[in-house]
Amino acid sequence: MQKRLRQLFTRAKERSSVGYAKAATAAGFCDIDLIIIKATTPDDLPLSEKYVSELLKIFSISPSSFHRFALSFVRRFGNTHCWRVALKCLLLLHRLLHSLPENSPFRTELLWARANRLFSLYPCHFRDESSANPEDYTKFIRSYAKLLNEALDCVALDSKATYNEEEVPEPEDLCDKRKEVGTLIEVLPQLQSLIDRVMDCRPSGASARNFIVQIAMKHIIRDSFICYTTYRREIVLVLDNLFQMPCRSCILAFGIYKKAAMQANQLCEFYDWCKASGFCGVYEYPFVDRVPQIHIQALETFLNGMWQLPESPSSSSSPSSLLGSPSTLTATLTEEDGDYKQIVKKDVVVISDQWEKFEEAGFGRDLESERALIQFEESENDNSWEDILDASVDLPTPCPCVAQRDATQRKMQLYNPQAVNPFYQPWYTYTHNHPSS
């Protein structure tokens, strides 16, 4: 009985707010508060494009209206206990983030409001009190809010470049290329995290059958196409320059590549479910590249050998003993259980501690730790990372018998060197002007 009373009170409260907004608008008043209230009505109708256009028009006329919108959004989303109102608030925020440019003050005002604890998308404290299945809708709203929260923090990549079929010229200078790759190593984990948040938004129970939730899922899935296509394009550049990066960056890049192998299977399963549910057209889905496990093992074996540094004549202790054995170093990389972020965190701590001991022993200056793992001479023909990996196993050995035995073992362990990079696929061309529903 008490639950039923809360549902009736919540519905009456939201309907009275909408009625007041409509009456004020009919009387000649027009404010951002009234537009937001009218756009987030507690009904099963989709978000009207009319209110999105009105807000964009106000933003173009008055830049100070961004701050007013942030405060109004905080009040509307923070005070409601109706899942329909909360979902339409998130949909409105999602549409505005997608429509406004990256250099717009809109994102800055939202970050300011969140930093001053005026509202919180994660952790989201919303709880539905207006439906018979509040757990299903509460879970979906919180997952959607967490996705938008990470979208605010994510480093902005030009989404229009995803659809540009022209090749972007690569930097010729090695230092500029290393800086670009270093930036990508910081951005790619954010894109991977966004893809994880998209998969977390999978509705369940009664929420999966609701019309408004299905519309929200279409917006989420279509933005995941852009995110994954950008991620797939940028990781190719990281892999092509893997052996020209410092040791720390090389280990982090390998962690990203290993995460991509695990994430591809989950993303394929998620997209298959979306296709079966009728979200978006089948032709819109990008091709998900699966990374074979043998590629991961071959690259891991090669990177293990890079840590076996030669002994220095100026000290009785070898650098390899300070850095740790390859099996110890990659123990955390080969863990299949546990969270990926914990794996990367343990890798960074282990490598940082061992590298500090390595520098204190006097090897850092001689070995130039900031230099690339392999220094290449300039040539007209650029070799891919697979060719380099294949060529690296042909190093001379002291004994011909040992060389023949090692070569036989390597042929059994390594993958086919003629195989192409698994991420080289025809780019997915996505229709940018897609319908809103």
Side-chain angles (χ1 to χ4, degrees):
M1 183 63 182
Q2 189 176 7
K3 180 179 179 181
R4 181 62 178 174
L5 290 176
R6 285 199 303 266
Q7 293 178 4
L8 293 175
F9 175 75
T10 302
R11 292 178 183 178
K13 178 184 175 182
E14 297 298 341
R15 289 177 180 176
S16 61
S17 299
V18 175
Y20 167 76
K22 292 182 178 180
T25 304
F29 295 96
C30 184
D31 194 7
I32 292 181
D33 289 327
L34 302 177
I35 296 176
I36 293 178
I37 292 175
K38 290 188 297 181
T40 57
T41 55
D43 51 33
D44 290 328
L45 297 177
L47 179 67
S48 178
E49 293 293 328
K50 177 180 68 175
Y51 301 114
V52 178
S53 301
E54 288 181 4
L55 289 174
L56 292 176
K57 184 177 180 180
I58 293 176
F59 292 157
S60 63
I61 297 174
S62 175
S64 61
S65 58
F66 290 109
H67 181 71
R68 285 160 37 202
F69 172 85
L71 297 179
S72 300
F73 178 84
V74 167
R75 287 193 295 267
R76 185 60 172 165
F77 181 74
N79 296 332
T80 185
H81 293 281
C82 177
W83 71 267
R84 294 178 177 85
V85 175
L87 180 56
K88 289 186 179 181
C89 286
L90 296 178
L91 273 172
L92 180 63
L93 178 62
H94 193 172
R95 292 298 311 279
L96 292 176
L97 285 174
H98 192 272
S99 301
L100 292 171
E102 297 294 345
N103 56 356
S104 173
F106 181 72
R107 186 187 298 265
T108 305
E109 292 295 338
L110 291 175
L111 293 175
W112 173 86
R114 190 185 64 180
N116 288 272
R117 298 183 179 181
L118 298 179
F119 82 111
S120 175
L121 292 175
Y122 180 75
C124 180
H125 305 290
F126 170 79
R127 185 175 297 276
D128 179 46
E129 296 180 356
S130 63
S131 64
N133 305 98
E135 294 81 8
D136 297 335
Y137 294 104
T138 301
K139 180 181 178 181
F140 180 75
I141 294 297
R142 292 183 177 181
S143 300
Y144 194 10
K146 187 177 181 180
L147 170 64
L148 295 180
N149 182 73
E150 290 201 10
L152 289 175
D153 294 330
C154 183
V155 176
L157 292 177
D158 189 7
S159 60
K160 294 182 179 179
T162 306
Y163 310 105
N164 189 5
E165 299 180 355
E166 298 180 0
E167 297 183 357
V168 180
E170 298 183 358
E172 298 180 356
D173 189 14
L174 182 60
C175 295
D176 295 339
K177 183 179 294 186
R178 289 177 60 182
K179 289 180 180 179
E180 181 181 358
V181 173
T183 303
L184 291 178
I185 291 177
E186 297 178 0
V187 173
L188 289 177
Q190 298 180 14
L191 295 178
Q192 288 180 327
S193 180
L194 281 178
I195 295 175
D196 287 335
R197 300 290 78 78
V198 168
M199 292 186 289
D200 291 340
C201 291
R202 179 174 177 173
S204 60
S207 61
R209 299 184 296 270
N210 187 268
F211 180 62
I212 308 178
V213 175
Q214 293 176 358
I215 292 177
M217 283 300 300
K218 291 181 180 179
H219 290 289
I220 294 173
I221 294 170
R222 282 182 175 132
D223 278 356
S224 73
F225 298 162
I226 301 175
C227 184
Y228 177 74
T229 307
T230 304
Y231 164 77
R232 186 179 62 179
R233 182 191 66 219
E234 300 299 342
I235 199 174
V236 173
L237 181 60
V238 174
L239 293 176
D240 288 342
N241 298 274
L242 183 64
F243 304 124
Q244 302 182 29
M245 295 185 292
C247 297
R248 295 184 182 90
S249 300
C250 191
I251 294 298
L252 292 176
F254 174 74
I256 294 173
Y257 189 60
K258 188 174 183 180
K259 169 67 175 179
M262 296 185 296
Q263 194 179 56
N265 298 327
Q266 302 172 0
L267 190 61
C268 285
E269 181 182 355
F270 175 73
Y271 280 165
D272 290 340
W273 175 84
C274 293
K275 294 176 184 178
S277 301
F279 297 137
C280 307
V282 179
Y283 62 91
E284 297 183 52
Y285 288 84
F287 179 80
V288 179
D289 299 298
R290 293 177 182 267
V291 182
Q293 188 63 28
I294 192 172
H295 288 195
I296 302 295
Q297 295 175 357
L299 188 59
E300 183 179 10
T301 302
F302 180 80
L303 291 178
N304 288 343
M306 301 308 301
W307 288 94
Q308 297 176 353
L309 302 177
E311 296 186 358
S312 174
S314 61
S315 175
S316 59
S317 61
S318 64
S320 59
S321 63
L322 294 174
L323 292 174
S325 62
S327 59
T328 304
L329 179 63
T330 58
T332 55
L333 290 176
T334 57
E335 294 179 1
E336 295 296 336
D337 299 329
D339 188 69
Y340 166 69
K341 295 182 180 179
Q342 296 178 358
I343 295 175
V344 175
K345 184 177 180 181
K346 288 191 291 183
D347 292 340
V348 175
V349 172
V350 171
I351 296 172
S352 300
D353 294 342
Q354 294 173 343
W355 198 266
E356 289 179 359
K357 296 179 182 179
F358 173 69
E359 291 179 346
E360 291 176 359
F363 295 100
R365 181 172 299 178
D366 296 334
L367 297 175
E368 299 182 2
S369 60
E370 292 302 325
R371 295 177 58 188
L373 292 177
I374 300 178
Q375 298 294 333
F376 300 98
E377 296 181 358
E378 296 182 358
S379 65
E380 297 180 356
N381 299 325
D382 295 334
N383 295 327
S384 64
W385 68 278
E386 293 182 346
D387 297 334
I388 298 171
L389 182 61
D390 179 49
S392 63
V393 301
D394 296 330
L395 298 175
T397 55
C399 179
C401 299
V402 176
Q404 183 178 4
R405 183 194 61 189
D406 293 343
T408 305
Q409 294 178 353
R410 282 191 292 267
K411 290 180 180 179
M412 296 174 61
Q413 295 177 357
L414 296 179
Y415 61 92
N416 183 9
Q418 301 300 326
V420 296
N421 191 323
F423 281 97
Y424 279 113
Q425 298 290 343
W427 295 123
Y428 163 72
T429 304
Y430 172 75
T431 307
H432 187 61
N433 297 324
H434 56 77
S436 59
S437 60

